[in-house]
Every structure is written in structure tokens, then in C-alpha cells.
């Protein structure tokens, strides 16, 4: 397989599901990237497959999406099932535990979210209607 070509289509580049491209596709998940418009999800994304198009969603979200075969739109819906003050999604990786939950932007005029100071956490807008909170903690905490 030769990807170094004289003529490159920059609108729809070749990015096959084999060789170095496939190895790249598998490795980027652990760095928080997903294939944004995968084949078979056109009815959900409303976009034709784009095997060259990757998006950063962060870890562990990229791994959850891969393991559950979810497009980004499906993942946003899935995470809405893990609401703050209720059940949270918990992921265990070695001694690291991650906790993920959703906060709606429209539930209340003002909301206070309490997170322990000593934990690492990330709050990201879901580009639709709320926020996804990811908390990292050690197994013994």
C-alpha cells in the first residue's frame, strides 16, 4: 500500500482500513480521538462516511465510543442516562477509576456542582444541551 501519491484529493483523501491508516485508527483512541463519520452511521450523523476525519473527544470517551460502537451523536444520548445526583458511569482502568455524568444546561437557572478539590476533573459542553463531566480518581479514594 502506498499512501505517498503525486495527486492527493484534499477534499476526500484516501484513508484505507488497512496498513498504517488502520493502525493509526486503532491507536488514536487511547489519545482521545474518534473517527467522526464512520461507515454505517450515516442515518445518525447525516454525513457520508469520512474515514480520514477524526475528532478529539477526550479519554475515556473515545474508548467508550469504540467499545460500544457509538457515533458522537449516539454517545451524547447515551451519557444523558448518567445524570448528576443520580447514577454515574464508572470506568475502571488499572488503578484509575473514571466517573462520567451529564448535567443539563436547561434544568435550572443556576446549578451548583460539588467536586472534591483533590480530584482531577474536566467539564465539556456537549454542543447540544448540557455538559459532560469526567472525574478521575484513584481506586482507594
Amino acid at each position: 500500500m502506498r499512501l505517498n501519491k503525486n495527486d492527493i484529493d484534499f477534499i476526500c483523501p484516501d484513508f484505507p482500513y488497512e496498513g498504517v491508516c488502520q493502525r493509526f485508527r486503532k491507536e488514536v483512541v487511547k489519545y482521545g480521538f474518534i473517527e467522526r463519520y464512520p461507515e454505517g452511521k450515516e442515518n445518525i450523523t447525516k454525513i457520508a462516511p469520512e474515514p480520514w476525519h477524526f475528532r478529539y473527544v477526550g479519554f475515556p470517551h473515545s474508548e467508550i465510543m469504540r467499545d460500544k460502537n457509538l457515533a458522537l451523536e449516539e454517545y451524547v444520548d447515551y451519557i444523558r442516562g448518567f445524570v448528576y445526583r443520580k447514577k454515574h458511569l464508572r470506568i475502571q482502568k488499572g488503578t484509575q477509576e473514571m466517573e462520567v455524568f451529564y448535567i443539563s444546561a436547561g434544568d435550572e437557572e443556576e446549578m451548583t456542582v460539588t467536586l472534591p478539590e483533590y480530584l482531577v476533573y474536566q467539564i465539556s459542553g456537549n454542543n447540544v444541551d448540557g455538559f459532560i463531566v469526567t472525574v478521575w480518581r484513584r481506586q482507594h479514594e
Side-chain angles (χ1 to χ4, degrees):
M1 178 178 74
R2 182 174 175 260
L3 292 179
N4 188 4
K5 301 176 181 179
N6 292 331
D7 295 320
I8 298 173
D9 181 346
F10 289 102
I11 303 297
C12 187
D14 188 24
F15 206 86
Y17 288 92
E18 59 188 18
V20 69
C21 294
Q22 185 62 11
R23 286 195 305 275
F24 172 84
R25 191 174 274 107
K26 287 182 177 183
E27 287 294 313
V28 298
V29 169
K30 61 183 158 187
Y31 299 101
F33 289 88
I34 59 161
E35 185 176 332
R36 179 60 182 99
Y37 300 108
E39 189 170 353
K41 300 290 185 171
E42 300 87 343
N43 62 327
I44 295 158
T45 65
K46 308 300 184 216
I47 302 287
E50 293 185 357
W52 64 88
H53 189 147
F54 291 83
R55 178 169 179 177
Y56 181 77
V57 295
F59 187 86
H61 310 287
S62 55
E63 193 171 86
I64 297 166
M65 291 172 67
R66 181 205 56 207
D67 293 349
K68 296 189 171 297
N69 190 30
L70 300 174
L72 183 56
E73 292 80 0
E74 294 171 303
Y75 184 67
V76 168
D77 287 342
Y78 173 70
I79 290 301
R80 282 189 190 110
F82 300 96
V83 180
Y84 179 63
R85 295 187 183 128
K86 295 184 181 177
K87 181 182 175 187
H88 295 181
L89 175 62
R90 297 186 186 278
I91 303 105
Q92 189 73 41
K93 296 291 283 184
T95 61
Q96 191 77 51
E97 180 181 308
M98 290 145 282
E99 186 175 333
V100 180
F101 56 91
Y102 166 78
I103 300 172
S104 174
D107 284 349
E108 303 171 24
E109 281 188 35
E110 185 176 306
M111 175 183 275
T112 301
V113 178
T114 304
L115 297 169
E117 282 185 35
Y118 61 90
L119 294 180
V120 175
Y121 58 88
Q122 181 177 37
I123 303 172
S124 302
N126 69 3
N127 293 334
V128 181
D129 60 359
F131 302 91
I132 296 173
V133 179
T134 309
V135 180
W136 288 268
R137 58 176 76 233
R138 291 279 178 202
Q139 202 169 20
H140 63 275
E141 297 177 79

